[in-house]
Amino acid sequence: MASHSPKLADSVQFPAQKDATKAFYGVGIVGLIASGVGYFLNADQFFFSYLTSFAFYTSFALAALILVMIHHITKSSWGAVIRRIPESLFAKFWIWALFFIPIILGMSNLYSWTNTEYVMNDPILAGKTPYLNEPFFIIRQFIYFGIWSFLGYKLHKTSVKMDRTRDWGLTALLRKFSAPGILLFALTIAFASFDWLMSLDAHWFSTMFGVYYFAMSFQALFPFIILMVFWMHSNGMLNNIIKKAHIYDLGAWFFGFTVFYAYIAFSQFLLIYYANIPEETLWYYHRLEGSWETITYMLLFGRFVIPFVLLLNRESKHNELLLKITAILILAMHFIEIHWIVMPTLHHHGLAVSWLDIATLIGLGGIFMGLFFQTFKNNNMVPVNDPNLPDSLHKEYHQ
């Protein structure tokens, strides 16, 4: 079926003078070179810092992937005008996957279960060797990134194709990818979080860790989208297409998943506290000693209490200043929380900030944002022939 494009009040072409792709790539290359120097100075710190930054940026792409698949499977219209932002986050997953290679090369620095002698003298780790072994770990990474790259490529390619062909039949194809994609996503993000983060302390286990990583990632996605929307508005892009009602919806999702994140994070803590199994409780014990205790309480207030209070009021969910403040706070807390998950394995007794934390954050961030802008600028900023676009354009905010 052919569509008739709705009349748009703004240009949907990304202005060439606002293109920051080369700048991001340049910053990323400089950061990665500096990180490479750090590898020769302190290999352990390099790999732990690199893993922290990689897990941080990958979380946005993964959260964007599930958001778009949910959008397609539910045929929702509210997010049609902002959908190209999350699509651009995961479209080049197959390139981003290459940046996992240093983690594979640094497995012996990161994961104690790669030390055969250590594992054989530890009955708990010896029992986990059918899963925690290097060949199977590497195979699993190929599976994860293969699935994510395929879904990301097909969802983005089909969406962009609809812009050119005006074929609404492609929406059925998007749903066919999304329905099994959601199930595959749930399985792969859970096991990827086990592999990358939970197995850093191979004695520890939590059946909730997969949904915990998902919850923190999904909460952090909405600040990214919100800040991107406000940046576009400040540069004269899509001011009349992404309106107050859409910003309110983003704020509402942001608030909702702030509560969801807190529920999951607290539930994981409560279940482990109540069960009182040594292998489980020690993970939290190490994060409640030394300066890590301060970070733990910082996360409680910075990731839940403060944003909950700031976004509780209905009007605050579209207030630009409050949304910007809360979004920046959550993005900072998101990185700090992943750092809090990873680094106690290396720095047992307290926070020890390294310049490599900053170098890897900048290096990988430059590449990640370069890939994002390279995709975003080369296509319409709005899916102009999506059948849900007219409803999205006419969405109004009701007092």
Side-chain angles (χ1 to χ4, degrees), residues 115-155:
N115 186 327
T116 304
E117 183 179 351
Y118 177 70
V119 169
M120 296 309 295
N121 292 322
D122 189 315
I124 293 176
L125 294 186
K128 297 182 178 183
T129 52
Y131 183 83
L132 291 180
N133 62 81
E134 294 182 55
F136 191 30
F137 178 90
I138 295 171
I139 290 170
R140 290 197 301 273
Q141 308 317 307
F142 276 101
I143 294 172
Y144 305 151
F145 284 104
I147 290 172
W148 299 334
S149 298
F150 174 77
L151 288 172
Y153 174 77
K154 295 299 288 186
L155 289 171

Side-chain angles (χ1 to χ4, degrees), residues 210-279:
V211 71
Y212 169 58
Y213 181 66
F214 161 74
M216 70 167 78
S217 302
F218 210 59
Q219 183 204 19
L221 173 64
F222 293 101
F224 182 96
I225 297 175
I226 287 168
L227 291 176
M228 184 64 187
V229 167
F230 286 138
W231 178 83
M232 289 193 296
H233 280 183
S234 66
N235 286 277
M237 291 179 264
L238 306 184
N239 286 285
N240 299 301
I241 291 179
I242 303 179
K243 299 181 291 187
K244 183 178 180 179
H246 304 110
I247 294 172
Y248 174 82
D249 285 342
L250 287 171
W253 276 76
F254 184 13
F255 176 77
F257 273 88
T258 295
V259 176
F260 177 74
Y261 156 79
Y263 165 71
I264 294 299
F266 179 71
S267 295
Q268 178 176 255
F269 172 82
L270 184 63
L271 288 172
I272 290 174
Y273 176 83
Y274 182 79
N276 199 29
I277 300 172
E279 287 79 14

Side-chain angles (χ1 to χ4, degrees), residues 1-8 68 71-73 75-84 87 155 158-172 174-175 380 382-393:
M1 181 189 300
S3 72
H4 298 285
S5 301
K7 186 175 181 180
L8 300 174
V68 171
H71 176 97
H72 290 311
I73 203 68
K75 302 182 183 180
S76 64
S77 62
W78 74 269
V81 295
I82 58 95
R83 202 179 74 222
R84 279 288 151 79
E87 283 180 347
L155 289 171
T158 306
S159 177
V160 171
K161 183 178 179 181
M162 197 187 304
D163 283 3
R164 300 192 308 269
T165 64
R166 303 186 179 185
D167 181 5
W168 282 4
L170 293 173
T171 58
L174 289 167
R175 289 196 296 276
N380 294 326
V382 173
V384 294
N385 292 311
D386 190 289
N388 292 313
L389 183 60
D391 288 341
S392 188
L393 291 172

Side-chain angles (χ1 to χ4, degrees), residues 326-342:
T326 312
I328 293 170
L329 173 65
I330 291 299
L331 291 180
M333 289 296 107
H334 185 48
F335 178 77
I336 290 171
E337 183 158 11
I338 294 178
H339 191 277
W340 174 83
I341 292 170
V342 172

